[in-house]
Amino acid sequence: MKKYLTMIGLVSLSFAYAQGGPLVINNYTSYDFHTRVTAANLATPGCYFYVALDNPELVIPGGGSSTYNSYNIPGTSWKVSTSPSPATLRLGSHPSLALGGAISNNTKWVVSQFQFYQSGTPLSVGAVGDTSYTCEPVPNIFITPQASVEWFTVTSGSTTYTYLQIY
């Protein structure tokens, strides 16, 4: 019984660590927010251990919000790199990207590259993210004519929530 409870605890902890926890995007503006997000392992030397959204970009309409608990976002493909070799393209449904998968358990959300749109017309671009990610240095707050975009984390228990706030 003790082994069973230990195993359940370890499995639940691995699920809680996936991408460092959920990514929550809140768009309080009237503009559509298009983003490509990246997750990485900050403990790995070099800039090789990362997962970057390839296609399609995530779209959060004006006044909308979304929460992503894993890379398994329907219809997405991701660039996955674990070495100096070129990145491998993988579907979000790939087992290593699923909650509890090898890549998922060893990465956290680090960057959002974004662009605002209004009625299909492209507007300002920018990037925000974790300022400790030195492979693609970005600020945690970026101000455009349309809105301010802010990146921050909140830890509750063993789960770290990454927030992208657009206001």
Side-chain angles (χ1 to χ4, degrees):
M1 181 68 161
K2 188 175 181 180
K3 286 182 182 180
Y4 178 74
L5 291 175
T6 301
M7 185 60 83
I8 294 287
L10 290 173
V11 168
S12 66
L13 283 175
S14 72
F15 282 113
Y17 182 75
Q19 290 89 37
L23 173 65
V24 180
I25 305 174
N26 295 313
N27 184 357
Y28 300 110
T29 73
S30 60
Y31 301 97
D32 293 338
F33 182 79
H34 295 225
T35 185
R36 292 186 192 278
V37 290
T38 299
N41 183 315
L42 299 179
T44 303
C47 297
Y48 308 120
F49 202 144
Y50 69 86
V51 179
L53 180 61
D54 183 58
N55 199 23
E57 60 196 7
L58 303 177
V59 178
I60 313 303
S65 65
S66 290
T67 300
Y68 302 101
N69 291 310
S70 75
Y71 304 111
N72 192 7
I73 301 166
T76 58
S77 59
W78 299 80
K79 294 177 190 173
V80 178
S81 175
T82 57
S83 71
S85 300
T88 303
L89 200 59
R90 292 197 175 150
L91 294 177
S93 59
H94 191 278
S96 68
L97 299 178
L99 286 175
I103 303 293
S104 176
N105 282 345
N106 290 291
T107 56
K108 66 178 249 176
W109 302 110
V110 292
V111 172
S112 164
Q113 296 174 328
F114 63 84
Q115 183 164 20
F116 286 102
Y117 284 79
Q118 185 173 41
S119 303
T121 302
L123 302 170
S124 299
V125 299
V128 293
D130 185 329
T131 57
S132 67
Y133 184 55
T134 58
C135 296
E136 188 178 339
V138 295
N140 66 329
I141 298 174
F142 194 95
I143 299 170
T144 72
Q146 289 75 40
S148 294
V149 180
E150 183 177 16
W151 178 286
F152 62 92
T153 59
V154 174
T155 301
S156 176
S158 62
T159 303
T160 300
Y161 297 85
T162 300
Y163 283 88
L164 243 176
Q165 302 280 82
I166 303 103
Y167 50 91

